[in-house]
Amino acid sequence: TLKLLFVCGHCKKLAPDFETAATRLKGTVPLAKVDCTASPDTCGRFGVTGYPTLKIFRNGEDASSYDGPRSADGIVHFMKKQAGPNSVTLRREADLEAFVNHFDASVVGFFSGPDSGQLAEFLKAASVMREHFRFAHTIDMTLGLKHGVDTERVLLFRPPRLSSKFEESVLRFTETITTHTLRRFIRDNIFGMCPHLTNENRDKLKGQDLLTAYYDLDYLQNPKGTNYWRNRVMKVGSQFASQGLSFAVANRRDFVDELEEEFGLGASDGGDLPFVTIRTQQGFKYTMREEFTRDGKSLERFLEDYFAGRLKRYIKSEPIPEKNKGPVKVVVAESFEEIVNDPEKDVLIEFYAPWCGHCKSLEPKYKELAEQLYSDPNIVIAKMDATANDVPQAFDVQGFPTIYFAQAGKKDQPKRYEGAHEVKDFIKYLKRESSHVPVVSRVREDL
């Protein structure tokens, strides 16, 4: 039996999704929860040190940690995959057709008999990868004849909903089966030329240069209309397939917040036509400003301009301040290069959020620091609202305030400031790190 255990102390955010998933999985996979504030011994026995922790139990034993999505839909989808055997046994052609006719891709092994060494390796691989992929196998080789299988073979069936004339729907694995070789084959081929980007697979897809077309995608209610735009992306994308850019389509409604935050697209913007973006591994962003034409020519022009280096990067930025004479220089994304990356200046920059209490506490001290260094022509004390401006990739900002020092002549090596937030500590740091000896004065000359 399979069970998902939700271990928690104070976990209000996950609880509603977990309870919704429990209701939908009732009768399939039981979901249970333990309150560690009430049952510390139980939590200690299973090595729980942080909250929330989710664990998968099989036959009463702690099988593994749950590393799937945390939304109700994601939990249901993930745990349904966990139910049943590592690999489903297929006995008839109807079993095979039913298994591969699924929303997700399917990995199917065809073997000569129950004692096949390759079957044993396949089952071993399935046990390791079952959390992420669907596996099935048969020892009736005749089931593979219609797919050209005449010897022991593994096939990867892409989902029928993503079937397209621009790529093969069934791929053959031709190496000797090991967990390593099969994992690599699946990883390299499962998404195909233009996958459906979701909140569940986004992390796997976004580690590459990726063009995404966002529109009212709905494979359940409108598969024909959904593939109408996907086919246009694939038709144009196939002309650029060898140039290192990947392609995807996504439901705009699944990424409303991200599109607004990252690309400035409001929920009502764009109409019925796809909104196209490119995001590179370096974090560079581009948007297709021309309307997506049904003949695909606008997308073709967009890609030609992208590969020719003619596109202007999309940067989320506040307006450049008309006046910026204060002791602390206000930086926005559009002025970052000019101010922070000025090769002649040493720059200390604070990344802040308007709602951040620690940032507000720092503000008077940071201003005093800037006033004391105001007469030094070589040092700039600056700040940027990191919630309203894109932060360059070299500056890793996960919390607020985050402070970096960009030394003159070494702008490609910014250093995170880890010291205390008193004026004397900043001064001491700058005396040590600056390219020039700082000129410190107690009072600004123009005061």
Side-chain angles (χ1 to χ4, degrees):
T1 59
L2 179 70
K3 180 179 290 187
L4 179 62
L5 182 66
F6 170 32
V7 185
C8 194
H10 306 282
C11 307
K12 294 180 181 178
K13 185 176 180 181
L14 177 60
D17 282 298
F18 192 81
E19 289 169 9
T20 300
T23 300
R24 289 169 55 185
L25 287 169
K26 190 174 182 180
T28 304
V29 180
L31 271 61
K33 62 181 179 180
V34 175
D35 183 347
C36 286
T37 59
S39 306
D41 292 343
T42 301
C43 297
R45 192 163 82 247
F46 293 104
V48 175
T49 57
Y51 309 116
T53 294
L54 286 87
K55 286 183 171 288
I56 296 173
F57 282 73
R58 294 186 189 280
N59 302 316
E61 297 292 328
D62 182 357
S64 65
S65 293
Y66 173 91
D67 65 353
R70 299 294 178 99
S71 65
D73 286 344
I75 293 170
V76 170
H77 185 69
F78 190 94
M79 291 309 297
K80 280 185 175 178
K81 280 187 178 180
Q82 296 299 305
N86 297 330
S87 176
V88 176
T89 302
L90 307 176
R91 294 183 172 83
R92 303 184 305 277
E93 190 170 321
D95 296 339
L96 173 61
E97 294 303 317
F99 185 78
V100 301
N101 187 24
H102 194 273
F103 198 79
D104 294 321
S106 308
V107 182
V108 181
F110 300 83
F111 302 100
S112 57
D115 298 326
S116 164
Q118 286 290 273
L119 171 58
E121 288 296 323
F122 180 84
L123 294 176
K124 187 187 301 182
S127 70
V128 173
M129 294 186 280
R130 63 168 296 158
E131 293 186 6
H132 306 288
F133 309 113
R134 305 175 65 249
F135 293 90
H137 65 278
T138 182
I139 55 173
D140 183 350
M141 293 291 293
T142 63
L143 298 190
L145 291 177
K146 68 181 292 185
H147 299 290
V149 174
D150 54 8
T151 185
E152 291 194 326
R153 181 78 68 212
V154 175
L155 300 182
L156 171 62
F157 292 82
R158 293 194 175 122
R161 67 192 170 93
L162 299 181
S163 177
S164 167
K165 66 180 181 180
F166 297 104
E167 65 180 350
E168 296 292 332
S169 296
V170 182
L171 285 84
R172 300 162 70 91
F173 174 70
T174 56
E175 298 180 59
T176 300
I177 299 173
T178 66
T179 299
H180 173 71
T181 57
L182 191 56
R183 179 190 281 121
R184 185 178 60 203
F185 168 75
I186 297 171
R187 184 195 62 212
D188 291 348
N189 293 285
I190 193 164
F191 289 123
M193 181 182 165
C194 186
H196 172 193
L197 175 71
T198 66
N199 282 308
E200 275 68 51
N201 66 22
R202 60 186 295 170
D203 290 339
K204 295 175 185 173
L205 287 171
K206 289 195 171 181
Q208 54 196 323
D209 294 350
L210 181 67
L211 178 147
T212 308
Y214 298 89
Y215 56 97
D216 291 331
L217 178 153
D218 188 343
Y219 275 109
L220 296 177
Q221 301 297 326
N222 186 19
K224 186 176 180 181
T226 291
N227 276 330
Y228 176 88
W229 291 115
R230 179 174 178 265
N231 285 335
R232 271 135 192 85
V233 173
M234 294 182 76
K235 180 180 179 181
V236 176
S238 62
Q239 302 171 39
F240 300 88
S242 63
Q243 298 193 42
L245 182 66
S246 300
F247 299 85
V249 293
N251 187 350
R252 188 195 317 238
R253 286 166 292 183
D254 291 343
F255 296 93
V256 168
D257 292 343
E258 179 174 313
L259 288 172
E260 183 173 2
E261 173 72 18
E262 298 291 330
F263 294 97
L265 183 75
S268 59
D269 294 343
D272 296 330
L273 299 174
F275 177 70
V276 177
T277 71
I278 293 176
R279 182 195 292 272
T280 70
Q281 293 180 65
Q282 290 77 30
F284 297 161
K285 299 183 293 185
Y286 305 87
T287 61
M288 190 172 91
R289 293 306 181 187
E290 187 180 353
E291 191 174 87
F292 197 125
T293 54
R294 294 177 186 274
D295 61 6
K297 292 297 184 183
S298 60
L299 180 60
E300 191 174 325
R301 286 189 289 272
F302 176 66
L303 285 168
E304 287 171 349
D305 287 344
Y306 170 73
F307 286 113
R310 292 190 292 264
L311 290 183
K312 183 180 178 182
R313 281 164 48 197
Y314 174 83
I315 299 176
K316 182 177 71 170
S317 178
E318 294 178 293
I320 296 176
E322 292 183 12
K323 296 181 180 180
N324 201 7
K325 297 292 187 182
V328 179
K329 298 302 177 189
V330 176
V331 176
V332 298
E334 292 282 7
S335 64
F336 196 95
E337 189 68 22
E338 177 187 351
I339 297 175
V340 181
N341 286 338
D342 183 338
E344 305 298 322
K345 306 284 189 184
D346 291 324
V347 182
L348 189 73
I349 180 165
E350 174 204 2
F351 297 96
Y352 71 94
W355 42 259
C356 164
H358 293 297
C359 304
K360 291 173 183 175
S361 299
L362 173 63
E363 190 170 1
K365 300 172 186 176
Y366 202 66
K367 184 179 179 183
E368 183 184 339
L369 169 70
E371 288 173 342
Q372 291 193 24
L373 294 168
Y374 192 77
S375 60
D376 190 326
N378 300 306
I379 293 182
V380 175
I381 307 300
K383 66 177 182 179
M384 185 169 93
D385 180 353
T387 67
N389 298 276
D390 278 342
V391 177
Q393 195 85 347
F395 298 80
D396 183 23
V397 177
Q398 301 293 334
F400 305 109
T402 295
I403 301 171
Y404 271 88
F405 179 67
Q407 189 185 53
K410 296 183 178 180
K411 297 300 180 178
D412 59 338
Q413 303 170 42
K415 296 180 179 179
R416 185 195 290 267
Y417 175 77
E418 304 282 7
H421 289 178
E422 298 296 334
V423 175
K424 62 180 176 63
D425 298 301
F426 286 121
I427 296 286
K428 183 179 179 181
Y429 176 85
L430 291 170
K431 284 181 176 179
R432 185 175 72 246
E433 298 290 340
S434 294
S435 59
H436 302 78
V437 178
V439 177
V440 181
S441 57
R442 293 297 169 191
V443 183
R444 264 178 57 188
E445 293 176 358
D446 62 339
L447 289 180

